[in-house]
Amino acid sequence: MGLLRAVGFFHGSMFLFSVMVGSGIFLSPKGVLKYSSLNIPVSLGIWGIAALLKMMNAVCLAELATTFPVSAAPYYFLKRSLGSSFAFLNLWINIFGYSLGISAQSLLIAGCLLQPFYLGCQAPELPKKCLALAVLWSLGFLNARGVITVSWFNTISSLMKMVVLCFICITGVVLLVIGKRENISRFENALDAELPDASQIAEAILQASFAYSGSSLLLVLAGEVKNPAKTIPKSFIFGMSTVAVLYILTNASYLAVLSPQEIISSDSVAGTWMNKVFPSMQWVITLLISVSLINNTACGILSASRIFYTASQEGQLPFIFSMLNNHHCPVAAISKIIIFSSIAVIPSSLVNLIKYLMLSSFVLTELYMIALLKLRYQEPHLHRPYKVWSPLIFGSMSTSLFLIVLPMIKTPTMELIYQAIFFLSGFLCYWLHTYLNQRYGFFDKITCYLQLLFNVSPTEKSDSIFMQ
């Protein structure tokens, strides 16, 4: 018994659309414009640069997923190349990163759904949190039905999101072609605006990268992809290039209607845009934004569960998380991320949360590139169905290092120190896990009861599947 290889090129591309097109395009324009010093050409350029950097990272990581086409391929690859401690660090970062991200998205979904009923004021916190929990657990039950059910749900909702973005893009193009003075005036003197410094550009790229985050989902699902050697690289190139074009056109449409100051002061740029262009249809964009976020959250739950599944197989999480139900789904791992996300409390603003998630992402990217180079040196004759051009690996390493180090040098804050302590504490927890983990008889009894509760059974380990 094992995970099903049921994701082809079409569903793989739809997964990329669904996980990337979400809260990022509705939240990140605010942060990108802010750190671009309200410079319109620079902000649009940042969106293109972030897309190229993410695509460069993706095609590099595609090599590890095609070399080891197992579930949670990045985690497995780190363990194979750099050892168990760095694999545990990957797990440590992802446990908190996914919990915070999924929790924030659930609250955002609840806020979007409730806001039309509270015009002129903020929705109350208690109904928002109750609705967020209801959405979260509903998506957990959906994921428990297996990857095929989730892929069809994502395909339908992704097509809806693409329709929304295309509508915004076409409307913006029409407004610019018509040439109304208020629509094109802010583009005329855009080159005279103030230029941001290097640290601000790095911060802006971090904000834009959030909109492209989630592309690693296809790497996490490598054990469920048909013909991964061809499907994964093709899906990355097609999916990410399509999303990049849509994002640049969408931001141009925002700027054709809204001033930079209006974008900065808006909590939902798309909602403010719709309220100005089609005031009577604002509820439509609110509903479709909620659908986008629901889709994005479902993919986050799917991705997190596969990481916990593989970590359980490798002995770094309890054995119950690697057992599958009759839908070939690790339902105990899904329950874990749902519970963690339900109790997660987000003390910081969404902009600060984006910075934390993106910094974690670039730290992991740096580790993946080091592991890729090390394995090339140690095992040059290992079969690699897809091999990326070496300069792209060094380019990805240098840009990730730049985006990690520059903000620390230019604007050191206590928040960055806390993040560094959090990363290093992962090694301490690994030491405690390795040297203090004792095995007691009642653990087996608890596993047995949980196995009966979830109706799950053990699977083959990734190593044995890979060797076949």
Side-chain angles (χ1 to χ4, degrees):
M1 186 173 179
L3 296 173
L4 294 176
R5 289 199 177 273
V7 180
F9 170 74
F10 175 72
H11 285 302
S13 300
M14 287 296 106
F15 267 123
L16 285 177
F17 290 147
S18 63
V19 77
M20 284 193 289
V21 182
S23 59
I25 192 58
F26 307 120
L27 291 173
S28 294
K30 178 178 179 178
V32 173
L33 203 55
K34 173 185 174 183
Y35 289 113
S36 299
S37 300
L38 304 185
N39 190 309
I40 292 175
V42 170
S43 66
L44 293 176
I46 291 295
W47 284 97
I49 292 170
L52 291 175
L53 293 179
K54 276 293 183 179
M55 192 177 296
M56 182 170 62
N57 291 341
V59 296
C60 291
L61 295 176
E63 179 178 329
L64 66 87
T66 54
T67 305
F68 302 106
V70 296
S71 188
Y75 169 89
Y76 181 87
F77 187 81
L78 278 182
K79 189 173 186 294
R80 173 76 177 259
S81 181
L82 298 181
S84 298
S85 59
F86 285 95
F88 186 86
L89 180 63
N90 175 289
L91 175 65
W92 174 257
I93 292 173
N94 280 318
I95 284 176
F96 289 93
Y98 276 109
S99 299
L100 289 173
I102 292 171
S103 177
Q105 287 177 344
S106 301
L107 288 170
L108 200 59
I109 292 167
C112 288
L113 291 175
L114 289 176
Q115 196 57 51
F117 299 98
Y118 296 91
L119 296 177
C121 63
Q122 291 292 325
E125 286 298 314
L126 183 59
K128 186 189 296 185
K129 290 182 178 180
C130 291
L131 182 57
L133 287 173
V135 169
L136 194 58
W137 283 90
S138 298
L139 293 176
F141 286 119
L142 174 71
N143 270 271
R145 300 292 298 176
V147 69
I148 296 177
T149 303
V150 178
S151 64
W152 277 112
F153 171 79
N154 282 331
T155 298
I156 295 169
S157 51
S158 294
L159 292 175
M160 292 175 63
K161 289 195 288 188
M162 301 302 282
V163 169
V164 175
L165 285 183
C166 289
F167 173 74
I168 294 175
C169 294
I170 293 171
T171 304
V173 170
V174 169
L175 291 174
L176 289 174
V177 169
I178 292 174
K180 287 186 177 180
R181 187 65 186 171
E182 60 270 19
N183 297 131
I184 62 175
S185 59
R186 60 182 60 96
F187 289 93
E188 291 179 345
N189 301 318
L191 295 176
D192 299 330
E194 178 188 353
L195 293 175
D197 59 27
S199 63
Q200 288 177 310
I201 291 175
E203 294 280 6
I205 292 175
L206 286 174
Q207 294 290 322
S209 296
F210 176 71
Y212 296 103
S213 62
S215 57
S216 60
L217 173 66
L218 211 55
L219 306 176
V220 175
L221 293 177
E224 298 166 81
V225 174
K226 301 175 184 176
N227 193 7
K230 293 183 178 179
T231 301
I232 292 176
K234 284 167 58 179
S235 296
F236 271 138
I237 294 171
F238 173 74
M240 296 189 73
S241 57
T242 304
V243 171
V245 172
L246 282 174
Y247 276 6
I248 293 172
L249 291 176
T250 300
N251 277 276
S253 179
Y254 288 159
L255 290 164
V257 175
L258 305 173
S259 68
Q261 290 76 15
E262 288 176 313
I263 292 176
I264 291 292
S265 61
S266 173
D267 290 329
S268 174
V269 182
T272 307
W273 180 92
M274 180 62 81
N275 189 44
K276 201 161 186 178
V277 180
F278 302 105
S280 60
M281 294 179 61
Q282 188 178 13
W283 64 272
V284 175
I285 199 72
T286 301
L287 180 62
L288 292 175
I289 289 173
S290 302
V291 171
S292 299
L293 297 172
I294 288 173
N295 192 0
N296 203 263
T297 307
C299 289
I301 295 170
L302 180 70
S303 181
S305 66
R306 270 41 179 190
I307 294 174
F308 298 159
Y309 165 83
T310 301
S312 174
Q313 287 188 322
E314 299 298 323
Q316 293 190 343
L317 282 178
F319 185 47
I320 187 67
F321 296 123
S322 63
M323 297 187 184
L324 304 181
N325 63 4
N326 57 342
H327 297 289
H328 298 267
C329 175
V331 65
I334 290 173
S335 300
K336 175 185 173 72
I337 188 60
I338 293 296
I339 292 170
F340 274 43
S341 300
S342 298
I343 62 177
V345 177
I346 314 238
S348 58
S349 66
L350 284 171
V351 171
N352 290 329
L353 175 64
I354 290 170
K355 288 168 62 177
Y356 163 74
L357 293 175
M358 288 304 98
L359 186 62
S360 302
S361 172
F362 284 118
V363 168
L364 290 177
T365 297
E366 194 74 16
L367 290 177
Y368 296 149
M369 297 302 110
I370 294 171
L372 195 58
L373 290 174
K374 182 183 178 185
L375 201 65
R376 279 191 177 186
Y377 175 77
Q378 288 182 334
E379 301 184 45
H381 302 296
L382 184 69
H383 176 63
R384 295 174 173 85
Y386 166 81
K387 192 172 182 179
V388 72
W389 191 37
S390 296
L392 291 180
I393 300 177
F394 290 105
S396 182
M397 287 180 64
S398 59
T399 53
S400 297
L401 191 62
F402 168 79
L403 293 170
I404 293 169
V405 173
L406 187 65
M408 296 182 180
I409 296 175
K410 294 287 290 185
T411 54
T413 61
M414 287 302 297
E415 187 180 76
L416 292 173
I417 295 175
Y418 293 149
Q419 290 172 358
I421 293 172
F422 167 74
F423 295 144
L424 295 176
S425 64
F427 291 109
L428 175 62
C429 290
Y430 173 74
W431 182 84
L432 292 172
H433 168 80
T434 303
Y435 292 101
L436 302 180
N437 184 25
Q438 299 292 327
R439 184 175 174 83
Y440 296 102
F442 69 86
F443 282 171
D444 292 331
K445 196 171 290 186
I446 291 175
T447 301
C448 184
Y449 283 128
L450 290 175
Q451 187 176 356
L452 292 170
L453 174 65
F454 290 114
N455 191 24
V456 292
S457 59
T459 62
E460 292 183 81
K461 194 178 175 183
S462 299
D463 286 330
S464 61
I465 296 173
F466 176 68
M467 293 302 293
Q468 291 174 5

